[in-house]
Amino acid sequence: MRRLVNKRIVIGITGGISAYKSAFLVRILRKNGADVRVVMTKNACEFVTPLTFQALSSRPVHTELLDLDAEAAMSHIELAKWADLIIIAPTSANFLARYAHGFAEDLLSTLCLAADSPVMLAPAMNQNMWLNKATQENLNKIKQWGIKVIAPSEGEQACGDDGPGRMAEPEEIAKFAADIFRTNILTGSRLLVTAGPTREAIDPIRFLSNGSSGRMGYAIASAAVEAGAEVTLISGPVNIEAVGIEKIIRVTSAEEMCSSVMKKINTTDIFISAAAVSDYTFQNISKKKIKKIEDTCQLILHKTPDILAKVAALNNAPFTVGFAAETENLEMNAKEKLDLKNLNMIAANKVGKQIGIDSEDNELTVFWGSGQEKLPLNSKNKLARKLIELIAFQYNEENSNKTH
Ligand code: C5P
């Protein structure tokens, strides 16, 4: 269940006897590297206590929609945005009905309405309630929206009945959740991603670099692995964990990044250049530490190769995606780069406080030949998944145009 590493998961607990099983679910998800927040309905609190889940998740449990303290810490909208996945386990017949009809009168139903991430249900109820036409109709309706449902199993029920309605076991729910992140939209394609800054040496101790954390590129590489692609990541010096990425080539300078990219490019279908490559490097690197003797010090810079433009200009260029970090005129500058560098796609982000370089969150506007799409402010992991969806769609379109 490696796909659960670093995933932000909201567990919604509704009122039912199987709520006790969700305690095991929280443990399993956390053991597999997920960050878990728990939301409980009023009825759920009758079966199990929020304290149990606070202890297991190491986070305060959310129970109220209109609780000033909880809203101040993280509003229900922020919580919905925070989540990579929402799992409602157990899902009661009552919650299913409210969800199917778009109610938003408590925290959990409001979260589901506000969610921009997948929602997964693990229903649990008495067999007659489960087999009731109302429940089955609600279920079918929800499934048509793309909501994933892990069916309850048959067997002895807490009420003494025997039949379908027992909540799936926590281990099965966790496996089902991990599989939601495997989309397979890029199965069979070979991706090359660059990430992080480069360092241009001045002398044996100093260098010229930038504040890129590498998070966006690493998130893209991880999302591409989840999408089924064979991924190679070429990374500048960063200090972050690579999740699920097996092939990483570490480089330091722009020149090294360029030659590593060029070595791999003939076996690449999609190239994503998320690295903040230095535009200039030093003409002469001093072999010894430069001493502070003179009042001024002149160093001559010369241009580094533009890796992205070089790749896009190849005869057999892969599908090429660039990034444009801009402080002003975002759209104009990004579109100009798309044309000038002859790219298939460009993801533009405005660099500012809390977004872009060296931050947790980002917002992107993606441009390609015939269209554009805004990916609003969100975690870099979630944005990366959305960007990979866009890339997969455009890449497949281009390929089918080529073959017709
Ligand atoms: O032209 P500009 O540097 O703003 O373009 C940014 C894009 O070009 C990014 O995708 C970056 O990874 C790439 N780039 C590159 N080689 C350079 C400079 C930027 O591949 N020397």
Side-chain angles (χ1 to χ4, degrees), residues 136-208:
Q136 289 301 316
E137 257 181 37
N138 289 334
L139 198 71
N140 285 339
K141 188 171 172 188
I142 282 173
K143 279 185 180 170
Q144 278 169 21
W145 301 341
I147 305 298
K148 305 278 186 286
V149 178
I150 179 164
S153 63
E154 287 203 24
E156 198 188 322
Q157 300 202 294
C159 55
D161 278 8
D162 205 303
R166 287 161 56 102
M167 187 172 87
E169 293 307 313
E171 188 78 28
E172 292 168 339
I173 299 176
K175 281 201 185 108
F176 194 95
D179 280 348
I180 287 181
F181 293 103
R182 189 177 59 195
T183 63
N184 289 336
I185 50 177
L186 283 175
T187 299
S189 46
R190 297 159 300 178
L191 243 95
L192 184 61
V193 183
T194 64
T198 61
R199 281 181 189 170
E200 310 305 319
I202 296 172
D203 65 18
I205 292 164
R206 304 171 179 109
F207 54 79
L208 170 75

Side-chain angles (χ1 to χ4, degrees), residues 196-367:
T198 61
R199 281 181 189 170
E200 310 305 319
I202 296 172
D203 65 18
I205 292 164
R206 304 171 179 109
F207 54 79
L208 170 75
S209 190
N210 59 67
S212 164
S213 65
R215 279 193 209 110
M216 195 68 226
Y218 274 60
I220 289 169
S222 295
V225 170
E226 287 175 356
E230 188 189 313
V231 179
T232 303
L233 173 65
I234 299 182
S235 171
V238 294
N239 206 3
I240 45 173
E241 193 193 353
V243 180
I245 312 155
E246 274 161 17
K247 284 190 226 156
I248 303 186
I249 300 168
R250 297 195 188 271
V251 297
T252 305
S253 66
E255 194 64 56
E256 276 171 35
M257 186 171 274
C258 186
S259 64
S260 292
V261 166
M262 287 329 221
K263 262 187 216 150
K264 284 280 318 174
I265 211 66
N266 287 335
T267 51
T268 295
D269 302 308
I270 301 173
F271 174 58
I272 306 173
S273 183
V277 189
S278 176
D279 290 328
Y280 290 93
T281 192
F282 295 96
Q283 205 155 4
N284 301 304
I285 305 171
S286 169
K287 288 207 167 59
K288 291 185 195 151
K289 184 182 172 192
I290 299 171
K291 298 282 178 200
K292 55 168 188 267
I293 297 164
E294 309 296 336
D295 279 347
T296 58
C297 169
Q298 259 191 346
L299 298 166
I300 297 177
L301 291 159
H302 70 107
K303 261 195 175 158
T304 55
D306 189 317
I307 309 168
L308 182 62
K310 215 167 148 159
V311 168
L314 291 171
N315 275 338
N316 243 338
F319 186 90
T320 308
V321 184
F323 269 76
E326 303 290 343
T327 49
E328 65 254 346
N329 299 331
L330 184 72
E331 179 165 348
M332 197 186 79
N333 286 331
K335 281 184 169 167
E336 203 173 88
K337 258 174 226 177
L338 182 75
D339 284 349
L340 270 178
K341 299 198 190 191
N342 201 19
L343 310 176
N344 296 93
M345 203 179 237
I346 194 153
N349 66 296
K350 201 148 191 191
V351 183
K353 264 192 185 162
Q354 312 269 297
I355 56 168
I357 286 177
D358 197 25
S359 64
E360 289 281 342
D361 294 337
N362 207 356
E363 67 183 15
L364 297 173
T365 310
V366 186
F367 301 92

